[in-house]
Structures are given as C-alpha cells and as structure tokens.
Amino acid sequence: MSTDSSSLSRDDVAHLARLSRLAVSDEELDLFAGQLGVVLGAVARVQDAPTADVAPTTHAVPLTNVHRPDAVTPSLPREQVLAGAPAAEDDRFRVPRILQGEA
C-alpha cells in the first residue's frame, strides 16, 4: 500500500477489493481511491487532537451497571411455545439447514 496514509493508489484499491471479494470496475477504482483517501485523511486528523491531558475512557459518559441479577421465573409450557412455531420436531424448533456438511 502507499506510504502516505491519506492517499490510495488504484492498485491499493484493487488489492482491497480482491481481499473483500468485490468486483470493482476501472471507473470505480478511481472513484474509490479518491473517496477512501478523503476518509483516511479525516481519520488521520484525529492524531492531531490534543490528548496529552485526557484520561483513557471506555465511554464518553459515565455508565452504571444496568444489569439485573439472574432469576428463575415461570415460562410458557413447551407445548404452547412450539404450537406457534412454523415447524417442530422432537420437542424443538425445526429450522432450515444453512450450513453444509455432516448432520
């Protein structure tokens, strides 16, 4: 890739497109090179922010734990839940297989 972080060559964009498995036309290579260069330039400007006196944080505002403790509560009977399912088998939801391979 180019050494200047705010500019990308057509070759850089073509390489990224291949890695992403995207089909990109010659016109798009030129367009995307310019657009990605602008994005990279804007991101690079973040490094110019005066952060020496800023403490590291995980959130912009303070957060309080909003989780509740786990508690066992009554639920619907299995028969009632499965009655609303499009398909059920062996007391479980039946869903279409999406992965190939062994069952």
Side-chain angles (χ1 to χ4, degrees):
M1 294 223 167
S2 301
T3 55
D4 178 8
S5 65
S6 64
S7 68
L8 289 173
S9 71
R10 292 181 83 231
D11 289 340
D12 293 334
V13 176
H15 179 69
L16 290 171
R18 273 191 304 279
L19 291 174
S20 304
R21 299 178 191 262
L22 296 173
V24 180
S25 69
D26 287 339
E27 296 80 24
E28 290 172 322
L29 287 175
D30 294 326
L31 175 67
F32 294 160
Q35 290 176 338
L36 289 170
V38 170
V39 171
L40 290 174
V43 171
R45 289 192 57 214
V46 171
Q47 295 176 0
D48 298 335
T51 58
D53 297 331
V54 177
T57 60
T58 58
H59 292 85
V61 295
L63 294 178
T64 304
N65 187 353
V66 294
H67 297 220
R68 61 171 172 69
D70 287 339
V72 176
T73 58
S75 60
L76 294 173
R78 183 181 308 250
E79 297 78 24
Q80 188 176 352
V81 171
L82 293 174
E89 182 178 294
D90 297 327
D91 286 334
R92 293 180 282 190
F93 293 104
R94 179 169 173 79
V95 296
R97 180 182 298 263
I98 59 170
L99 300 175
Q100 302 302 321
E102 295 181 28

